[in-house]
Structure formats: structure tokens, C-alpha cells
Amino acid sequence: MKATEEMIAEAIRQETSKVEETAGTQEEPEEQGQMLREPTAEIGDRIPSKYTKYQLEESGTIEKITYPTRDYFGDGGEITKSANVYLPCGYSADKKYNVLYLMHGIGGDENEWGMNTVSSRVKLIMDNLIYHGDIEPFIVVTPNGRSSRQYGAKDSDYNSFYVFGQELRNDLIPYIETSYSTYGDQTEAGYDPASVREHRAMAGLSMGGMQTINIGLGECVDLFGYFGAFSAAPTSNTAAKTAELLADCPYEIYYFYNICGTDDKIAYASASAAAKTLPDVCDKFEDGRNFMWQELPGGHDFNIWYLGFYNFAQIAFQ
Ligand code: FER
């Protein structure tokens, strides 16, 4: 899919304005409704309200981390980047946790999923899914998807999104798995890298959905078993290309979940081209077993993306 400059500019405009409003702030819940591209009341019809409510009984925590990586898009030199990490309530080094890497869109950064706010909806949904016994607790990491010294939403080249796989493989996953209690402990006797796939998931909105397809399924299927694309942005990895890339793949795809709004003028065509027909062209995907294409009225915004997150959180690691 050839990206039109106008669509990119519009997507960046929308996301940059939202990030400016949320960056570095600790917002109270009542202020959330004013944020651009935040879900409207409509979300209440789609995500049961008990999953988006504040509840203090079992509240997880969010911490900001910094980790060493490289300017893979540029000179390859060492740089430091930030990410947010959600740890479920009762997180303990005596247990092992699954990890979801959750990616942002073209004009966003590691804070676009709101993990820098006390009222983080990702946290509320996770806290409540765990509290109500719908899912096993897992860790959520929201990194910055540009592998470049220029990782700021404003001064970056969007092509730096395409080389994030190197950062994920060489730097971020190793950092997370040595810093937290996960299944990827390489120091353990009998450590088998292939067995860790079922404990790692990758998902993302728009440009992050593109990354899940191009990088997750396209380059890192040895690392991940679960994939989620929410309104995936234009990608050269169409369904036919993904089928070709996975043709001789020895690994099982445990699930590939997709969601897109039918009124999404930015991503409906691209997300469809990348995923909708996958079960028809690739025997690795079977609709209803390890694949879902969900389309419903909606645009290119968080009404769709939080619903996607809520649904995917219940699909991953099952
Ligand atoms: C494009 C349209 C949209 C594109 C990227 C996007 C790279 C990303 C949108 C988003 O992340 O919200 O043509 O090309």
C-alpha cells in the first residue's frame, strides 16, 4: 500500500495533539473526556463498565523504565529510550509473568496508551479483568516504536518504525526479561527459547498494528506467539506477503486478532489488505480458532483501540 502524504499528515496531527495534552501529566479521570481521540460515551456500550471502573482493591502499578538500545535507523550508536511497564497487583518475583508489548501510532510515543497517567485505561482494564478473574495477570510494556535517536513524535522519520524489530530482539525483550520475573529467564537450566513464544504477545494501534504485522509476524515469529493489530496502518506486508513469509515457518501462531472501524478512512483499506483474507491464503490461520477479523462501525480512534485492547487482553496467553 502506498501511503498518501495527506493521510500520514492527518494521523500525525491527531496523535501529536493528544500526546501533547497527556505528556507528563497525572490526569484525574474526569478530565479524560476532553482529550482528543479519547473514547466517547460509546465505549461504554462496547466494554462493560465494570471493566473500566476505578477499583482500589486490586490495583496494579505502572513504572517508567529506561533501557540502553541503539539508533538502528541512523548511525547505530548507543542511545537510551523510555517505556512504561504495567505490573499487575500482587506482582511477585516468586511467580512468572507473560508479557504484552503494546505499540503506539504514528504521532504518538510510549505515552500514547496513557500509561503515564494515574487514570490509565490500560491499567483499569487490566486491573478489572484480573480482579474479575477473566485473565491471568500479565505485564504490559508500552515502548516508543521508533528505533532512532530521533524518537520524539515531532522530529522523527516515520521509517524508523520499520526497524524496531532489532531493538525489540536485541535490547528491549532482554531488558524486560532480566528486570522482571518472566518466562524468558535465559539463566535457567534447560532454557528453551522456542517455549517462551507462548508467553510473549505483540499488539499495537495503527502504525503499531503495522509493526505487529511487519515485525511481529514478519520478522519475530520466533519470539512471539500472540499478535494483535488494531486499525493497522499501510504496510507492504499484505496478506499474500505474510503468507509467503510464513510458508516454511516451523512455529505455530497461537492467535492473530484484528479490529478495525468500518468508517476508518486512514486504515480500513490497509488493515483489510494486510489481514482480512489471511485464513484464505495461509494455512497458518484458521478463522475462529487462531484468527479473528473484527470490523464494526467506528473511526481511527480509541473507541476502537481500547475495545481492541480489551478483547486482545482476553485472547492473549489463553
Ligand atoms: C499512512 C496512513 C496512516 C501511513 C501511516 C499511517 C506510513 C499511520 C497512522 C497512525 O499511526 O495513526 O499512509 O503510512
Side-chain angles (χ1 to χ4, degrees):
M1 296 288 300
K2 181 85 186 86
T4 70
E5 295 301 319
E6 208 176 295
M7 279 159 85
I8 297 177
E10 177 54 22
I12 293 177
R13 236 186 338 267
Q14 288 184 20
E15 286 181 20
T16 311
S17 49
K18 175 173 174 285
V19 168
E20 276 171 358
E21 285 185 41
T22 57
T25 61
Q26 295 286 308
E27 285 165 43
E28 294 308 319
E30 53 272 22
E31 289 170 27
Q32 274 196 340
Q34 291 155 26
M35 289 194 280
L36 273 175
R37 298 224 304 178
E38 273 297 284
T40 62
E42 204 186 333
I43 197 168
D45 301 337
R46 292 176 168 176
I47 301 180
S49 60
K50 70 174 184 175
Y51 292 107
T52 53
K53 264 211 278 261
Y54 256 111
Q55 53 90 4
L56 298 171
E57 275 143 282
E58 288 190 20
S59 176
T61 55
I62 297 178
E63 50 194 49
K64 182 174 170 172
I65 58 159
T66 54
Y67 59 98
T69 179
R70 290 186 178 276
D71 180 359
Y72 291 107
F73 182 65
D75 60 20
E78 287 177 19
I79 57 172
T80 300
K81 284 178 65 188
S82 303
N84 299 303
V85 178
Y86 165 85
L87 298 176
C89 177
Y91 170 81
S92 157
D94 297 335
K95 298 181 190 155
K96 284 187 175 179
Y97 294 88
N98 296 317
V99 186
L100 165 63
Y101 295 83
L102 182 63
M103 310 305 299
H104 60 83
I106 198 165
D109 60 19
E110 67 273 27
N111 294 328
E112 191 182 19
W113 278 101
M115 290 255 286
N116 59 327
T117 66
V118 288
S119 54
S120 162
R121 274 196 166 83
V122 166
K123 177 179 176 300
L124 293 185
I125 292 171
M126 288 299 294
D127 284 351
N128 285 303
L129 282 170
I130 295 165
Y131 177 71
H132 293 291
D134 294 282
I135 61 169
E136 287 297 317
F138 63 82
I139 295 172
V140 183
V141 181
T142 54
N144 180 311
R146 302 176 190 82
S147 281
S148 164
R149 214 178 280 286
Q150 273 80 46
Y151 53 71
K154 281 199 172 145
D155 58 359
S156 65
D157 180 328
Y158 71 80
N159 287 300
S160 62
F161 279 84
Y162 294 88
V163 296
F164 181 73
Q166 295 172 71
E167 173 171 336
L168 198 53
R169 182 182 293 276
N170 300 339
D171 311 314
L172 181 58
I173 291 178
Y175 182 88
I176 293 295
E177 295 186 351
T178 50
S179 307
Y180 298 99
S181 194
T182 68
Y183 288 89
D185 184 355
Q186 304 191 14
T187 61
E188 227 170 50
Y191 171 77
D192 166 20
S195 72
V196 188
R197 294 179 65 249
E198 66 186 275
H199 301 291
R200 297 193 197 103
M202 181 174 185
L205 74 88
S206 200
M207 208 59 168
M210 176 288 289
Q211 289 181 307
T212 301
I213 295 167
N214 282 40
I215 294 169
L217 282 168
E219 299 172 10
C220 297
V221 76
D222 60 320
L223 299 177
F224 294 95
Y226 294 90
F227 306 86
F230 317 150
S231 323
T235 156
S236 48
N237 290 18
T238 57
K241 176 73 192 271
T242 295
E244 189 187 313
L245 287 172
L246 295 178
D248 300 317
C249 165
Y251 303 107
E252 193 183 335
I253 309 295
Y254 299 116
Y255 213 105
F256 181 24
Y257 167 81
N258 288 271
I259 187 169
C260 195
T262 46
D263 313 314
D264 183 339
K265 295 189 175 54
I266 291 174
Y268 185 80
S270 55
S272 304
K276 202 170 173 176
T277 59
L278 263 180
D280 302 332
V281 298
C282 181
D283 62 10
K284 290 260 171 204
F285 302 93
E286 190 188 327
D287 194 26
R289 183 179 62 82
N290 69 344
F291 179 89
M292 191 192 302
W293 169 266
Q294 183 181 21
E295 63 174 55
L296 66 175
H300 198 66
D301 60 40
F302 272 100
N303 289 304
I304 292 291
W305 302 330
Y306 281 124
L307 180 63
F309 175 77
Y310 166 77
N311 287 339
F312 185 66
Q314 294 171 81
I315 287 170
F317 315 119
Q318 290 303 305

